[in-house]
Amino acid sequence: MSGPLGLGPGGVVAPPASSLRAYLPIVVASVVLALVPLSLGGSRYFLSLGVHLLVVASYAVAFNLVFGSTSQLFLCQGALAGAAAYCSVILGNRYGLPLWLTIPAGVGLAALLGGGLSWVAVSRRLEVIYLGIVTLAFSLVFTNLLLGGRELTGGETGLVVDGGAGTWLRSPAAAYYLFLALLVGHLVVYRAIERSRLGWGFRALRDDEVAAALAGVDVARAKVTAGVVGAAMLGSVGATFAAHEGFVSPTTFAFGEVDVRVLVVLALGGVGTLLGPVVGAVVVTVVDELLRPLGQLRLTVYGVVLVVIFLGFRQGMVRSVRSLWMRAGTRAGPRTD
Amino acid sequence: MALVLDGVAFGLQLALLATGLTLIYGLAGVLNLAHGQLVVAAAMVGAVALGAGAPVLLALGLAVVTAGAAAVLLDVTLLRPVYRLRGQARVLLSLLLTLGVAFAADGLLVHSFPFTRLNLSVATPSVELLGVTVRSASVVASLVAIVALGGLVVLLRTTRVGRAIRSLTQDEEGAQLCGVDPGRTRRLVFVLGGSMAGLVAVTQGLVSSVGATSGLDLTIFALIVTVVGGLGRVSGAVVAGVLLGVVHAVAAFHIGTVLTFVILLVAAIVVILVRPSGILGGAGS
Amino acid sequence: MAILELRGVTKRFGGLPAVDDLDLDVAPGRVVALIGPNGAGKSTLLQLINGLIAPTTAGAIRFEGRDLLGRSPHEVRRMGVATVMQRPRVFTSMSTLEDVAVGARFGGGERLREGPATEVAAEVLERLGLGARRDVSVAELTLHEQRVLELARALAGRPRLLLLDEVMAGLNPTELTAFVELVRSVRDDAGLTIVWVEHVMRAITALADDVVVLALGRRLAAGSPDEVMRDPRVIEAYLGRGAQRC
């Protein structure tokens, strides 16, 4: 057993040694995703659906880095993305700063918050449950401050975003490729970290923190790094999404809106796998659309999916498909020899 | 003074809500994120029974039994694989599983009972207490909570079952060695914890009302109180419940409910960081 | 000149001293065994040195003249102090080779890249006789093999001081003999200094240069294995130890 606290998959899961094989899946996935709008004829409805898919996939890559790689249960994906988004929007609306300044500022804030949460967790040696509760409380504090700080945040109604208005950012097709680029960037960062010295440290500390520390891995630094990078990923997507939508509100980044979905996406795709977030996001988005007539019962479906995954199907789709493939390969092996 | 009394009344509800959660966590290592949904399920059954013309006591009894039964059902079905794990892995898996259960139940409840509310606050007369006028419904709700909490404490302190529960809470393997059957005791604790949640539906129905969408909020309140009292500490949950109830009432009056909620959340965060064993526990880990 | 110096080291848990005003000097190249009844503070002492328990209530711990107190485990490891724990804590998602390579990559003072770290790991595994199992998942190794693996991971970071915590516990007689020989050869090859908490007397008489007896966190006796075994105070301390559980 490995993965976060023995919940993840068993078996050896090292990233491929050769650079080509390591990054090939990203290339394939991005080519497929790039062709999707063309095959759907560029309908506005499908493009906006596609943007949501890419956004949730990017969030899930970040969660994969923080939870999958270093077992830190961050239940504040939405809040971190939202902090970056609101920071960027408020700087832009109030002071007329351009997006290329406000988005990085938002990302910086998110990274600071994420790193801060990791740092607090590490230095107070918080067990997973306490970090979960602290980050959940952080999410709710964030949402309630948005609701309460009416003059700054627009409260429940939210804010109209000035930055990016009337530009290509608001065009669905261009935005689709922008978010695809962000997703690919996140995947490349994820894989690069996985293959680096830091990634080795992640694997070791995920298996056993004490043994990792005794072997010389700086566990605290590794976790805080994961927190910072993951939060920066969340922030970059959140702030860019706000600029694209032209509108932010507390519900855009609410726990029930973002975190729940990200958890389902990653659990479904496979915690700790490179393409798990993408596969999970595709499945969840498609299923979500198909189940739209069910209304509130969709939540029930998500709940059941989570329960089923964590009860018996913990490896997620990417790994299950891969092991099926490999089993098929070994069965076919002797015949081809 | 009126605010403080209001706060104590609300705090007793919180205590009732949190003891169920903390009892189950302490004994089974399961932080049941579907706790609020147990309350809602009970409330819906009660409301439907009342709507069908059932006598009040029967309807409320059904409500409490529903929550207790739902909790024990959770224990003997979905949570079974959880008990094969120990320590952190158990806590994490139970957290994720009950989160899934919470979503599933929430969707189902909101879908099935979009407009149903359990509302027992039928024009109750007001009474004078310590020179303050209070609603008698609130007094009754508080009395129910006090009796239930007192009963629980007596059960834990004086009976054989209570001793078994407390010894398992402290040291699962040790208690097993000394002949305590963990499975049976755990089922009992789920019944107890679930029934406490069911009682919350009743008392909340008395002072205000419970609707299908209240689940998540109830769980969050239960979590905050449980954390401030120290995860797994029944006495801590009672003290924290009353304390936070008063804080809530006073703060809500002066600065509004939104910022009050923020204060409670921050209190929970601070307790985790400074005194993870809760306000009654010793400092540090 | 001692490679490891302890001066007045004290650690209390809730008022009870686990280690009480302890002085200890370990000369380079020696194998020093720490023995004593359960609760004597032996494992606590090792964890004070390697940084798992920090900081002490009082006192100083110096390795090669540098202060160890207040440093985290990975810093202590990178300074040249490696630990093998009683219960093997292996990286279950890794192969044997990868597990040991973690020690090579992170444990040494210099930063090794992936390739050289794997080479070092392969070399150490070969030397400790686990070369044939290098591509097996560590979860499939026996207890004895996992101990050897932990020793290999420790050595892969080229330590100068090795802390062993009851590494002979649970081994059968054949494995015990093999493990004693392994530790001896490692010591001879690398000129390691070893501080070693142990209950298995056979292993101690075979390997230890000096024995220090701890009881209630204090030093009860010290000397060569033979001297210590005959010391009446030591015999009493061991016989005085009571039943453990209900």
Side-chain angles (χ1 to χ4, degrees):
Chain A
M1 297 230 291
S2 77
L5 304 162
L7 278 188
V12 179
V13 278
S18 87
S19 298
L20 182 68
R21 286 194 52 196
Y23 292 100
L24 191 62
I26 302 179
V27 175
V28 172
S30 52
V31 167
V32 170
L33 285 170
L35 293 176
V36 166
L38 302 178
S39 65
L40 292 174
S43 112
R44 248 193 125 72
Y45 167 73
F46 282 117
L47 279 173
S48 117
L49 205 60
V51 166
H52 280 91
L53 185 159
L54 295 169
V55 166
V56 78
S58 296
Y59 286 156
V61 175
F63 187 47
N64 204 11
L65 188 69
V66 179
F67 180 62
S69 297
T70 62
S71 304
Q72 301 179 89
L73 184 58
F74 268 33
L75 296 177
C76 56
Q77 270 77 246
L80 290 171
Y86 269 90
C87 171
S88 163
V89 171
I90 290 170
L91 285 178
N93 286 6
R94 296 220 146 191
Y95 308 103
L97 296 175
L99 283 177
W100 60 267
L101 274 179
T102 61
I103 291 179
V107 173
L109 176 67
L112 210 65
L113 289 171
L117 285 168
S118 278
W119 180 80
V120 164
V122 166
S123 56
R124 297 299 307 167
R125 298 184 184 205
L126 293 189
E127 292 173 359
V128 65
I129 192 162
Y130 286 106
L131 180 58
I133 295 173
V134 165
T135 50
L136 176 62
F138 172 78
S139 289
L140 299 171
V141 166
F142 174 75
T143 306
N144 281 284
L145 287 180
L146 289 185
L147 292 173
R150 224 164 271 280
E151 298 103 70
L152 198 61
T153 63
E156 217 168 325
T157 34
L159 294 169
V160 172
V161 184
D162 298 344
T167 65
W168 58 271
L169 255 178
R170 300 285 166 91
S171 119
Y176 181 90
Y177 288 102
L178 177 66
F179 285 103
L180 179 58
L182 266 179
L183 173 63
V184 170
H186 288 181
L187 288 171
V188 168
V189 169
Y190 179 86
R191 174 109 297 176
I193 289 180
E194 212 184 5
R195 286 160 49 84
S196 71
R197 181 183 158 88
L198 183 63
W200 275 45
F202 283 174
R203 271 184 83 198
L205 79 88
R206 193 171 50 185
D207 283 351
D208 189 324
E209 281 189 26
V210 173
L214 285 177
V217 177
D218 189 341
V219 173
R221 208 166 103 181
K223 288 187 148 187
V224 173
T225 308
V228 168
V229 176
M233 287 177 170
L234 291 165
S236 65
V237 180
T240 313
F241 186 66
H244 161 67
E245 287 271 293
F247 175 71
V248 282
S249 78
T251 38
T252 320
F253 304 105
F255 176 78
E257 229 13 72
V258 176
D259 294 79
V260 170
R261 198 170 286 246
V262 167
L263 194 60
V264 176
V265 161
L266 190 63
L268 200 62
V271 180
T273 56
L274 175 70
L275 291 185
V278 181
V279 174
V282 170
V283 173
V284 168
T285 307
V286 170
V287 170
D288 205 41
E289 278 309 295
L290 295 178
L291 295 185
R292 197 162 278 278
L294 285 184
Q296 284 296 336
L297 280 181
R298 273 190 302 170
L299 197 57
T300 303
V301 174
Y302 285 151
V304 171
V305 165
L306 271 187
V307 168
V308 169
I309 289 171
F310 288 119
L311 272 186
F313 185 63
R314 270 182 236 154
Q315 7 180 11
M317 299 187 59
V318 165
R319 239 181 241 107
S320 302
V321 171
R322 193 157 61 201
S323 65
L324 268 179
W325 179 263
M326 270 154 63
R327 236 180 289 154
T330 46
R331 243 181 267 140
R335 264 177 262 150
T336 48
D337 271 347
Chain B
M1 193 61 211
L3 276 181
V4 174
L5 271 188
D6 259 4
V8 172
F10 180 57
L12 285 168
Q13 315 290 314
L14 288 181
L16 201 55
L17 185 64
T19 41
L21 186 69
T22 213
L23 196 63
I24 291 175
Y25 177 80
L27 184 109
V30 170
L31 190 66
N32 178 18
L33 292 183
H35 198 68
Q37 278 73 19
L38 288 177
V39 179
V40 173
M44 293 304 109
V45 167
V48 168
L50 279 178
V56 173
L57 280 181
L58 175 67
L60 300 185
L62 266 177
V64 173
V65 169
T66 303
V72 82
L73 191 69
L74 200 60
D75 172 52
V76 296
T77 55
L78 295 182
L79 289 174
R80 281 183 71 148
V82 168
Y83 304 123
R84 269 180 247 131
L85 302 172
R86 299 223 165 265
Q88 291 289 288
R90 179 192 285 193
V91 173
L92 182 59
L93 182 60
S94 71
L95 195 79
L96 296 169
L97 276 177
T98 55
L99 188 66
V101 172
F103 294 150
D106 231 25
L108 213 56
L109 288 166
V110 175
H111 175 80
S112 316
F113 307 101
F115 307 113
T116 312
R117 296 193 79 85
L118 178 64
N119 192 338
L120 306 167
S121 52
V122 276
T124 48
S126 295
V127 292
E128 286 276 313
L129 194 68
L130 299 173
V132 181
T133 317
V134 285
R135 291 167 56 213
S136 57
S138 178
V139 175
V140 174
S142 299
L143 284 178
V144 171
I146 290 172
V147 169
L149 291 169
L152 181 70
V153 170
V154 169
L155 180 89
L156 288 180
R157 289 278 149 88
T158 60
T159 64
R160 231 179 84 87
V161 179
R163 272 202 304 280
I165 291 174
R166 283 192 298 144
S167 70
L168 266 175
T169 300
Q170 275 147 18
D171 175 7
E172 187 167 314
E173 277 163 48
Q176 260 171 292
L177 285 179
C178 298
V180 175
D181 174 2
R184 232 186 87 207
T185 319
R186 203 165 50 220
R187 286 192 290 280
L188 183 75
V189 161
F190 270 86
V191 170
L192 274 175
S195 308
M196 305 290 273
L199 271 182
V200 173
V202 174
T203 56
Q204 272 299 101
L206 276 169
V207 291
S208 58
S209 70
V210 184
T213 51
S214 317
L216 182 64
D217 289 343
L218 286 165
T219 302
I220 300 288
F221 268 115
L223 261 184
I224 293 173
V225 175
T226 302
V227 162
V228 172
L231 281 180
R233 290 162 180 262
V234 172
S235 49
V238 174
V239 173
V242 175
L243 192 71
L244 292 180
V246 173
V247 170
H248 186 271
V250 174
F253 181 75
H254 290 290
I255 59 173
T257 45
V258 171
L259 285 184
T260 300
F261 192 41
V262 171
I263 289 178
L264 297 190
L265 290 164
V266 171
I269 294 179
V270 169
V271 167
I272 286 183
L273 297 184
V274 179
R275 249 179 127 88
S277 50
I279 43 174
L280 295 186
S285 50
Chain C
M1 182 34 214
I3 188 169
L4 180 72
E5 297 168 67
L6 278 64
R7 290 287 172 273
V9 173
T10 304
K11 176 71 191 181
R12 289 193 192 89
F13 291 112
L16 292 171
V19 178
D20 192 3
D21 194 20
L22 190 76
D23 291 344
L24 183 69
D25 283 291
V26 178
R30 304 290 282 183
V31 176
V32 177
L34 296 175
I35 66 168
N38 280 338
K42 309 174 302 275
S43 289
T44 305
L45 187 62
L46 284 197
Q47 294 182 20
L48 284 170
I49 299 171
N50 68 22
L52 277 185
I53 303 179
T56 53
T57 310
I61 299 177
R62 276 186 292 275
F63 170 67
E64 295 177 338
R66 296 164 73 193
D67 236 305
L68 287 189
L69 276 189
R71 290 184 195 271
S72 42
H74 75 272
E75 287 178 285
V76 175
R77 177 65 197 84
R78 289 176 190 181
M79 285 168 66
V81 181
T83 309
V84 178
M85 310 267 275
Q86 178 185 2
R87 254 184 45 202
R89 305 186 70 140
V90 294
F91 302 130
T92 42
S93 78
M94 300 189 188
S95 71
T96 307
L97 184 65
E98 287 175 316
D99 184 307
V100 176
V102 169
R105 200 160 189 199
F106 291 92
E110 81 272 43
R111 288 173 149 248
L112 284 188
R113 296 187 62 81
E114 185 174 347
T118 310
E119 274 168 39
V120 170
E123 211 175 283
V124 175
L125 277 174
E126 208 53 58
R127 201 168 81 222
L128 298 192
L130 212 55
R133 305 280 273 162
R134 52 179 267 180
D135 295 321
V136 171
S137 163
V138 294
E140 289 167 32
L141 300 180
T142 64
L143 172 70
H144 175 235
E145 286 173 330
Q146 289 194 347
R147 286 258 168 76
V148 178
L149 164 70
E150 284 226 322
L151 185 61
R153 191 203 299 140
L155 294 176
R158 301 188 195 286
R160 297 180 293 287
L161 172 64
L162 188 60
L163 308 175
L164 304 177
D165 193 355
E166 298 199 31
V167 291
M168 306 293 175
L171 300 184
N172 69 35
T174 331
E175 291 170 343
L176 186 74
T177 313
F179 205 76
V180 166
E181 281 319 306
L182 201 59
V183 175
R184 191 202 305 280
S185 76
V186 162
R187 196 266 310 257
D188 293 346
D189 282 1
L192 273 176
T193 309
I194 298 178
V195 174
W196 177 29
V197 167
E198 194 50 79
H199 276 306
V200 181
M201 288 302 165
R202 236 188 79 202
I204 293 168
T205 45
L207 204 56
D209 298 315
D210 310 294
V211 177
V212 175
V213 187
L214 297 183
L216 298 173
R218 293 176 151 273
R219 182 209 296 252
L220 192 69
S224 72
D226 282 350
E227 287 165 15
V228 169
M229 299 300 167
R230 283 194 304 264
D231 193 314
R233 287 171 305 173
V234 176
I235 295 165
E236 204 214 301
Y238 267 89
L239 291 179
R241 96 188 205 215
Q244 298 295 311
R245 272 204 152 203
C246 76

